[in-house]
Amino acid sequence: MKKNKGKVNTTTEKEFVFRFRAGRNVCVLKVPLQFPVQENVNDLHGRLMLLHKIPCFVENELKSTLSTFIESETIQDYDREAELALQRLTTGEVDINQLTNKWAKAYSETTLEHAHPEEPCWDEDFADVYHELIHSPASDTLLNLEHSYFVSVSELISERDMELKKLQERQAAEMDKVMQELGKTMTDQDVNAFASQHFDAQQVLENKWANELKQVTHIQKQEYQEWVIKLHQDMQNPNNSTINEEIKVQPSQLTVESEPGARLYEEQRQLEESFTIHLGAQLKTMHNLRLVRADVLDFCKHRRHGSSGTKLRRLQTALSLYSSSLCGLVLLVDNRVNSYSGIKRDFATVSKECTDFHFPRLEEQLEVVQQVVLYARAQRSSKHKVQPEVPRNGTNSEDKNKNLERNPSNILPGEFYISRHSNLSEVHIVFHLCVDDNVRSGNITARDPAIMGLRNILKVCCTHDVTTITIPLLLVHDMSEEMTIPWCLKRAELVFKCVKGFMMEMASWDGGISRTVQFLVPQSISEEMFYQLSNMLPQIFRVSSTLTLTSKR
């Protein structure tokens, strides 16, 4: 026993004695027990019956006697410890002030009434304020302010692109002159030196503009959030007479004359078909399906000179930003979590055209994803060091393991990461689904990682209030030569059937909520192919038929 401690750290041994009669004989069972008893009384009783071959007719008596003995001896030990603790307190061995402070701290930490209230979160407070304002008469003012910020950033990006273009043209002219002098007054080392200087100059210019854009968007976000908070505070004051003038401070900037290419864009985008379907055997759920021919980034881009539907789309996206009706988009990417090439770079360019006033920048979100991927890989490798990964769909698991060892921050086909946005045209959430070159072949099955990735994405949609999801029907964003008409029909049939099965699973995931699924085909697909796909969809899904009622004469 240690001093200045309130409990005994040693164990004591006590003998349990049980007497019973077996015919004319009196039997005595003696068992040493360690107190405090750590094991379950029922387990201890069962072992005693088995090891000492106790007759079954005294089983209940042994159990009750054992329980009473353990309980009484435990209470005696507690009473003895309490007496010793009080004795140390009266003799001054324990500091009474220190003891009361420990008791008060333990009580305050374990009871809810004394718990400290959670500190308010700025993001949550701003989200509540914005959601309230966007559903008020101030919504038009908010949209106009966001559009004005978007126009200023777009002009800055146009200046950057123009300056980069001039630099590239000047460097191209200089390189042509150098190549003409190659072998005369210039050597290969001189050409390499010129190319290195040109690359450094481009990097310096790009970094300069990137820092300027980052600073501008940071200032815009800070100004916008402060203005929103101030506007909300002013609207809470009923005696404020300047609130109407503050709301109407900016004229509408989204109804200006459309630019010449806007109408052509709308006509190309409007190639779509809509269907209403019912899924389920007994409890049927209605869903909306759309087949759309468009570029995948058309759902993300804002236009400086909008048409009649531009403001409505922007308003709809803003109204549902903090709601249970979110819109998602599946973007097919490679296995590297960055925004340096391909469709990822194009998407990053679009996301930078408008300041995100609610969520971190795309680069910051990707940095978080990279850290999560590294942590997940470390956890997975520690759990499966002994068991090798089983090959799936004919793929070689050794190649996958080599790729992960080469760069553990890469993701595998079928895995995806999510980015959140408030600055895109019609999308709140982007699912970055990793696919490989296998999706361009014609022999993928329903167990392909890309298909299973779609299933997992739909499951996330069910659990996180994403009611509208846009899926690339052919699992590609661009058409190529090997994608013939039979290839497209086979791929579309596979995706249609798989998505139908996944949607039927949704009823068990979310209870049967009506959703909208948009099947996206590349912009370069022919109208004939589009309408063939449109005719295929009702053959796979159960489309609701219309009923025409006529009066009988």
Side-chain angles (χ1 to χ4, degrees):
M1 184 184 301
K2 297 181 180 180
K3 292 186 177 182
N4 299 331
K5 295 291 181 181
K7 61 181 180 180
V8 178
N9 294 324
T10 59
T11 59
T12 58
E13 183 178 296
K14 299 182 180 181
E15 188 177 51
F16 169 67
V17 180
F18 177 67
R19 292 181 173 85
F20 64 94
R21 296 185 66 88
R24 296 181 180 180
N25 299 323
V26 177
C27 302
V28 180
L29 173 67
K30 296 183 179 180
V31 180
L33 297 179
Q34 297 290 334
F35 281 84
V37 179
Q38 302 293 336
E39 54 188 330
N40 186 274
V41 177
N42 295 328
D43 296 340
L44 178 60
H45 168 257
R47 288 200 300 274
L48 293 179
M49 292 288 297
L50 180 63
L51 295 176
H52 298 277
K53 298 180 181 181
I54 306 297
C56 60
F57 60 85
V58 296
E59 179 179 358
N60 294 332
E61 183 183 358
L62 173 62
K63 184 175 182 180
S64 61
T65 305
L66 179 63
S67 300
T68 304
F69 174 78
I70 292 177
E71 182 179 358
S72 62
E73 292 296 329
T74 302
I75 292 176
Q76 291 180 9
D77 287 343
Y78 286 156
D79 292 341
R80 190 178 305 107
E81 291 179 10
E83 291 291 340
L84 292 176
L86 291 175
Q87 184 178 358
R88 289 195 300 271
L89 188 63
T90 55
T91 56
E93 296 182 16
V94 178
D95 187 1
I96 188 172
N97 294 325
Q98 184 179 3
L99 184 61
T100 54
N101 291 335
K102 288 182 179 180
W103 284 1
K105 181 180 179 181
Y107 181 78
S108 62
E109 290 179 351
T110 54
T111 55
L112 181 62
E113 59 180 338
H114 294 283
H116 295 287
E118 295 184 1
E119 297 182 359
C121 178
W122 165 260
D123 293 335
E124 294 180 0
D125 293 343
F126 178 75
D128 295 337
V129 170
Y130 179 84
H131 185 71
E132 183 176 346
L133 288 181
I134 201 64
H135 290 81
S136 70
S139 60
D140 193 56
T141 306
L142 290 176
L143 296 180
N144 291 333
L145 181 59
E146 292 177 6
H147 186 74
S148 64
Y149 282 143
F150 162 66
V151 171
S152 62
V153 173
S154 298
E155 292 175 351
L156 194 63
I157 291 177
S158 299
E159 294 179 10
R160 178 201 64 184
D161 295 341
M162 183 64 65
E163 189 169 346
L164 287 173
K165 183 179 179 181
K166 291 181 179 178
L167 176 63
Q168 293 172 357
E169 291 176 351
R170 185 173 67 252
Q171 290 179 348
E174 292 178 357
M175 185 58 67
D176 291 339
K177 294 181 180 179
V178 171
M179 294 303 295
Q180 292 176 1
E181 297 295 327
L182 181 62
K184 300 177 183 178
T185 59
M186 295 288 182
T187 62
D188 292 339
Q189 290 77 8
D190 297 330
V191 174
N192 293 335
F194 266 95
S196 178
Q197 292 176 5
H198 290 172
F199 178 79
D200 293 340
Q202 288 186 13
Q203 289 294 108
V204 170
L205 187 60
E206 289 178 358
N207 292 335
K208 169 202 166 187
W209 281 104
N211 293 331
E212 186 170 351
L213 279 172
K214 183 178 180 180
Q215 183 178 4
V216 169
T217 54
H218 176 74
I219 294 175
Q220 287 185 354
K221 184 175 182 177
Q222 184 177 2
E223 290 179 350
Y224 179 84
Q225 292 182 346
E226 292 176 354
W227 183 84
V228 167
I229 296 297
K230 181 178 181 301
L231 178 61
H232 180 263
Q233 294 174 351
D234 294 341
M235 293 184 66
Q236 298 300 315
N237 184 7
N239 299 325
N240 195 340
S241 59
T242 62
I243 187 64
N244 292 330
E245 289 75 10
E246 189 173 359
I247 292 179
K248 299 178 181 179
V249 66
Q250 293 181 350
S252 180
Q253 301 174 7
L254 299 177
T255 57
V256 295
E257 185 65 24
S258 300
E259 56 187 10
R263 184 169 299 276
L264 178 61
Y265 168 84
E266 290 291 337
E267 291 176 356
Q268 292 178 349
R269 169 76 187 280
Q270 290 302 319
L271 189 56
E272 61 183 42
E273 291 283 345
S274 299
F275 305 88
T276 301
I277 65 169
H278 289 86
L279 293 178
Q282 296 179 350
L283 182 61
K284 299 184 182 300
T285 305
M286 185 180 69
H287 301 278
N288 298 318
L289 302 182
R290 295 177 65 203
L291 181 64
V292 185
R293 186 187 74 172
D295 186 86
V296 64
L297 296 181
D298 291 345
F299 294 90
C300 307
K301 294 179 180 178
H302 289 291
R303 293 187 297 281
R304 293 176 58 181
H305 303 285
S307 60
S308 57
T310 302
K311 184 175 181 179
L312 295 179
R313 283 193 293 268
R314 197 179 190 111
L315 178 61
Q316 178 63 31
T317 305
L319 289 174
S320 57
L321 179 60
Y322 295 105
S323 70
S324 57
S325 301
L326 301 175
C327 298
L329 171 70
V330 178
L331 190 69
L332 305 176
V333 299
D334 56 29
N335 61 347
R336 296 182 296 273
V337 184
N338 55 41
S339 57
Y340 298 146
S341 61
I343 190 67
K344 298 184 297 184
R345 182 170 185 175
D346 297 337
F347 173 74
T349 301
V350 172
S351 66
K352 292 177 182 177
E353 292 178 351
C354 187
T355 304
D356 197 320
F357 302 108
H358 302 265
F359 304 113
R361 296 182 301 112
L362 178 62
E363 291 81 1
E364 297 176 3
Q365 296 189 47
L366 293 183
E367 290 177 359
V368 175
V369 172
Q370 291 173 355
Q371 297 300 321
V372 173
V373 170
L374 290 174
Y375 177 77
R377 291 285 178 262
Q379 293 293 106
R380 183 177 300 178
S381 61
S382 62
K383 291 181 180 180
H384 302 282
K385 279 185 177 180
V386 180
Q387 299 179 355
E389 186 179 357
V390 179
R392 295 181 301 172
N393 304 319
T395 58
N396 192 348
S397 61
E398 294 182 359
D399 294 340
K400 290 183 178 180
N401 293 332
K402 289 180 180 178
N403 292 333
L404 290 179
E405 290 176 1
R406 189 178 302 116
N407 192 347
S409 63
N410 291 348
I411 61 177
L412 297 176
E415 297 179 338
F416 63 91
Y417 53 94
I418 301 173
S419 58
R420 302 173 297 164
H421 307 273
S422 67
N423 57 340
L424 303 181
S425 176
E426 305 176 43
V427 176
H428 303 113
I429 297 174
V430 177
F431 299 92
H432 304 257
L433 175 61
C434 176
V435 295
D436 53 12
D437 294 335
N438 190 41
V439 296
R440 294 187 172 272
S441 64
N443 56 356
I444 69 170
T445 64
R447 303 297 299 176
D448 189 84
I451 299 294
M452 300 311 297
L454 290 180
R455 178 185 181 274
N456 295 330
I457 288 175
L458 290 176
K459 191 169 184 178
V460 172
C461 293
C462 293
T463 55
H464 292 79
D465 298 327
V466 181
T467 57
T468 301
I469 182 68
T470 302
I471 299 174
L473 177 60
L474 305 179
L475 299 181
V476 293
H477 292 313
D478 299 307
M479 301 297 292
S480 57
E481 294 180 356
E482 69 271 11
M483 299 175 187
T484 59
I485 292 179
W487 186 95
C488 294
L489 294 176
K490 182 180 178 181
R491 175 62 55 84
E493 181 181 7
L494 173 65
V495 176
F496 277 148
K497 290 182 177 180
C498 291
V499 171
K500 178 183 178 181
F502 301 154
M503 293 177 67
M504 295 180 70
E505 286 186 85
M506 287 183 184
S508 62
W509 293 339
D510 58 11
I513 298 177
S514 179
R515 300 184 184 276
T516 299
V517 178
Q518 299 185 134
F519 295 101
L520 180 67
V521 295
Q523 183 73 49
S524 57
I525 201 171
S526 64
E527 291 191 16
E528 179 184 0
M529 186 72 253
F530 177 84
Y531 288 114
Q532 289 188 36
L533 299 176
S534 176
N535 295 331
M536 179 190 296
L537 192 147
Q539 300 174 6
I540 297 176
F541 293 89
R542 182 180 299 176
V543 178
S544 303
S545 58
T546 59
L547 182 62
T548 304
L549 301 178
T550 58
S551 59
K552 185 176 181 181
R553 296 181 180 179

